[in-house]
Amino acid sequence: MEEETNSSIFARETSRLWRAWRTVHEMVQDRGYELAEDEVKISLQRFRDEYTNEDGSPNRAKMQFSARPSEAMIKKYTPPATASNPNPTTEAGTIWVEFCPEQSSIGIGVMKKFVGHCSANNFKAGILVTAMPLSSQARKVITVTQQYTQIECFLEEDLLVNITHHDLVPKHIVLSREEKIALLKRYRLKETQLPRILQKDPIARYLGLKRGQVVKIIRTSETAGRYASYRLCV
Amino acid sequence: MSGPSVSAQAPTGSQTPKGILKKPKSTPGTSAPPPSEPTPLPLEQQIAIQQAKLLLQQRGEDIKPPVSLDFFERLSQFPVTRGASISAANPSTKDAREFIEAVQGFLPREYQDLIEERNCLGNCGYTLCPRPRRKYTGEFKILSSGIAKVADLNMWCSDDCARRALFIKVQLDNPSYIKRDGQLVVRIELDDESKHSTRRQAPKNGGAKTDESELAKSMERLEIDKKTQTTRDKTALAVERGDARRPAQQVEVTIREKSTTAPVKGPDQSQAVQDGEAHLMLEGHKTTFGTGKDDAGSDSDDDEYLPSAIRL
């Protein structure tokens, strides 16, 4: 009896983790990183084979991967060349994704270890997926180290469904720096005159928006067919 | 009594009342003297510098810099010295001193963070306790004293540690200050363990005496608190006004006179004198009480219409 309940708990947890695993892959792919299609669309059976222990419990310590930015993404995140800086380097770099095996809430120590791992291996960005919320001081670690490595944290339960696949969520496209300048010029706007989107907005978190980036939102419209609006991340 | 007042309020025609407005200068061109003192910096720059200084000062005084993460890391792994004789009730003096000195710089919010941080590592929330915290499951727990949230219980290893940590928290929430190296710091002391043990064993015997000393202690604390409160209020007010620490830098006030174009005339009162209302005039205007009925009401047809309406 005991054995059965244990295995059913493990099965449920594994399928939850499988969904989060798929969502985080889709998220990384949507941001413009290179991932193979069979990595993203992993089946539950394969996931179970690869990421569970012998007793069926999920092995979070094994759940980690890195991804390189695609050509398009490198181009998008390269600042425009200027006279003083004719060959600008891109801001896009490899990303490291890790599921945290910690089952209690995340403290400074765990967070520092993750940040240390990211910076030691020259990852430009890191995503930590946790089962429990962060402590407020651990959150502070992220803000302190923000200028070296871009660290983001997601809860497993927030990644169970991919919100961009929802019917009511319109398509969001991040604009590159040139596109943003062209947009502001075209409409003769100042940055502050654009509508805004919060950085903590679920979509903004999904796309990893930084302050000052502009996102183009394409909605379907009954009268106009497609309707584009722009929002500035604040 | 009415004699002098009538003579003062109703002057004769030849005696024109003296206006309060200023006589114009004979030559309007030279009326406004230009401020010719050579200033080292333009005014905008001076104001900007003043503002920046003020902001710097306010940041120094109002917003305490946050406690560094290293402190949290160190305190979350406390106590450093562990042994059979070391417990939360009987901590090593070195650890206790370090804890108190660290906590003196904490905000209540940061102390809460420290407890949270210790719980993340599985330690008891009270910093000087070497034991791990409780790990009940579920949402609520039935105790002998009632029902408690498990999340609250799991923060500590025992109720005694909860009490000790709360004792620190209360002192941070309602701080009283002592002077150390010429600076006021929050006074923190650990809970008196002997008091609790005696009280629990013999509540009737030593009760009155400990209460008395407790009362004296709290009175003393209140007194200190009052004194520091007034000084704090004063500095806060000074910072708000923006004149603290800058007594030498007074604000420069330039009085610019308003230029007048025509010679000033007193109000014409001949009409009022004829109507016999001169005693009601003030600077050429008659004061009414908002209704305006005195002047306009008499020749409007309201008066005639209203009584007829009532009659019907």
Side-chain angles (χ1 to χ4, degrees):
Chain A
M1 191 66 199
E2 177 73 13
E3 194 58 37
E4 254 180 42
T5 42
N6 250 354
S7 65
S8 72
I9 286 170
F10 287 152
R12 203 180 315 130
E13 205 183 345
T14 308
S15 84
R16 271 170 65 98
L17 275 172
W18 168 65
R19 290 164 68 176
W21 179 250
R22 277 189 68 148
T23 307
V24 84
H25 272 82
E26 283 160 5
M27 182 165 85
V28 167
Q29 198 181 35
D30 285 349
R31 288 185 187 190
Y33 294 96
E34 274 177 344
L35 280 178
E37 205 57 27
D38 68 321
E39 270 183 287
V40 178
K41 294 210 161 84
I42 185 172
S43 67
L44 178 57
Q45 189 52 52
R46 221 186 98 205
F47 179 79
R48 232 184 245 138
D49 295 343
E50 279 182 41
Y51 299 105
T52 50
N53 302 324
E54 279 103 45
D55 60 346
S57 63
N59 186 356
R60 284 188 176 83
K62 252 175 114 183
M63 294 171 66
Q64 47 196 29
F65 67 95
S66 67
R68 280 205 314 276
S70 62
E71 286 297 319
M73 190 191 177
I74 289 174
K75 220 175 123 198
K76 196 174 198 175
Y77 284 93
T78 309
T82 55
S84 59
N85 187 14
N87 292 315
T89 53
T90 181
E91 284 161 14
T94 47
I95 190 171
W96 175 252
V97 184
E98 189 177 315
F99 276 63
C100 184
E102 203 82 14
Q103 282 304 310
S104 61
S105 63
I106 311 300
I108 298 174
V110 177
M111 205 64 222
K112 273 201 167 165
K113 215 176 99 201
F114 180 69
V115 173
H117 180 264
C118 283
S119 58
N121 294 301
N122 287 324
F123 291 115
K124 276 268 176 69
I127 295 178
L128 183 68
V129 184
T130 61
M132 299 295 273
L134 304 186
S135 77
S136 53
Q137 289 300 320
R139 225 168 271 284
K140 210 170 268 176
V141 175
I142 296 179
T143 53
V144 166
T145 56
Q146 193 143 39
Q147 45 196 345
Y148 312 114
T149 1
Q150 195 72 32
I151 302 291
E152 290 161 73
C153 280
F154 288 91
L155 280 177
E156 276 169 18
E157 59 180 35
D158 290 346
L159 293 174
L160 289 184
V161 286
N162 189 337
I163 50 168
T164 56
H165 293 174
H166 194 277
D167 203 31
L168 291 176
V169 178
K171 196 173 182 193
H172 288 64
I173 300 166
V174 184
L175 297 193
S176 72
R177 225 174 270 193
E178 287 106 333
E179 286 168 332
K180 180 184 163 188
I181 291 165
L183 167 79
L184 295 180
K185 217 170 167 188
R186 165 76 179 75
Y187 291 106
R188 294 192 198 169
L189 292 172
K190 275 179 260 165
E191 245 188 12
T192 49
Q193 289 170 317
L194 282 173
R196 277 164 249 175
I197 186 169
L198 289 181
Q199 212 171 10
K200 66 176 184 209
D201 187 282
I203 280 287
R205 265 161 58 83
Y206 182 89
L207 295 172
L209 289 189
K210 293 187 198 93
R211 190 160 291 148
Q213 282 186 316
V214 175
V215 67
K216 180 181 184 180
I217 303 165
I218 302 168
R219 295 191 168 88
T220 52
S221 158
E222 272 185 23
T223 48
R226 269 147 51 102
Y227 177 80
S229 60
Y230 299 87
R231 282 178 187 271
L232 175 78
C233 181
V234 290
Chain B
M1 191 186 153
S2 65
S5 70
V6 166
S7 69
Q9 283 182 351
T12 55
S14 63
Q15 247 183 315
T16 49
K18 201 179 167 192
I20 57 165
L21 298 177
K22 191 158 26 79
K23 300 279 183 295
K25 295 266 169 63
S26 52
T27 47
T30 58
S31 63
S36 59
E37 290 123 77
T39 47
L41 285 170
L43 191 64
E44 299 84 38
Q45 216 164 328
Q46 278 183 14
I47 291 171
I49 289 169
Q50 266 176 20
Q51 279 294 330
K53 273 185 186 159
L54 190 67
L55 277 178
L56 205 67
Q57 183 188 337
Q58 276 180 347
R59 198 167 57 183
E61 284 176 10
D62 292 357
I63 308 157
K64 194 178 70 63
V67 177
S68 79
L69 290 166
D70 301 335
F71 263 115
F72 282 102
E73 261 195 312
R74 184 163 165 73
L75 287 179
S76 58
Q77 281 150 10
F78 251 46
V80 179
T81 46
R82 289 170 193 253
S85 61
I86 302 294
S87 70
N90 182 26
S92 78
T93 32
K94 187 169 152 287
D95 281 352
R97 201 186 309 124
E98 190 178 347
F99 167 58
I100 286 174
E101 273 172 17
V103 151
Q104 273 169 344
F106 275 34
L107 291 175
R109 171 76 227 155
E110 284 164 339
Y111 184 63
Q112 211 64 35
D113 284 355
L114 172 64
I115 294 171
E116 191 187 349
E117 204 55 49
R118 281 183 68 82
N119 286 336
C120 285
L121 295 175
N123 294 331
C124 169
Y126 182 58
T127 312
L128 295 175
C129 177
R131 285 194 290 178
R133 67 185 171 95
R134 288 185 281 218
K135 279 179 182 155
Y136 295 136
T137 51
E139 201 166 342
F140 295 99
K141 176 130 182 96
I142 301 171
L143 304 168
S144 55
S145 54
I147 300 171
K149 270 191 185 161
V150 160
D152 293 339
L153 293 176
N154 278 355
M155 284 162 84
W156 323 105
C157 69
S158 60
D159 291 345
D160 283 341
C161 269
R163 196 205 63 233
R164 289 178 196 118
L166 190 70
F167 190 78
I168 305 283
K169 185 179 176 315
V170 166
Q171 291 175 82
L172 283 172
D173 283 346
N174 310 303
S176 64
Y177 293 86
I178 47 167
K179 234 181 186 136
R180 197 179 64 191
D181 309 334
Q183 268 192 326
L184 283 181
V185 290
V186 182
R187 171 161 144 173
I188 302 281
E189 48 193 36
L190 300 183
D191 203 0
D192 192 359
E193 296 297 335
S194 59
K195 184 177 68 188
H196 289 284
S197 53
T198 51
R199 189 176 285 175
R200 219 167 291 145
Q201 278 153 17
K204 296 237 167 111
N205 291 349
K209 208 161 201 180
T210 48
D211 278 356
E212 230 165 68
S213 65
E214 181 83 348
L215 186 67
K217 220 182 238 176
S218 63
M219 286 297 281
E220 177 196 359
R221 182 173 295 173
L222 198 66
E223 211 51 43
I224 295 168
D225 218 13
K226 240 186 233 164
K227 266 183 224 159
T228 51
Q229 186 64 41
T230 48
T231 51
R232 244 188 307 162
D233 286 350
K234 266 184 199 163
T235 47
L237 187 63
V239 166
E240 201 178 307
R241 282 177 177 161
D243 55 6
R245 275 208 206 142
R246 305 186 279 120
Q249 287 183 328
Q250 296 286 329
V251 181
E252 211 172 289
V253 179
T254 322
I255 298 172
R256 293 223 183 89
E257 308 238 309
K258 200 174 179 182
S259 61
T260 45
T261 49
V264 180
K265 265 191 296 179
D268 184 23
Q269 288 204 337
S270 55
Q271 181 63 38
V273 170
Q274 270 177 25
D275 295 348
E277 288 182 333
H279 65 288
L280 295 176
M281 303 300 273
L282 246 173
E283 287 282 328
H285 297 283
K286 198 176 121 189
T287 316
T288 57
F289 289 96
T291 54
K293 271 268 166 83
D294 286 354
D295 307 319
S298 58
D299 52 358
S300 71
D301 50 4
D302 276 2
D303 284 3
E304 283 144 28
Y305 180 70
L306 208 64
S308 66
I310 290 166
R311 230 179 286 135
L312 285 170

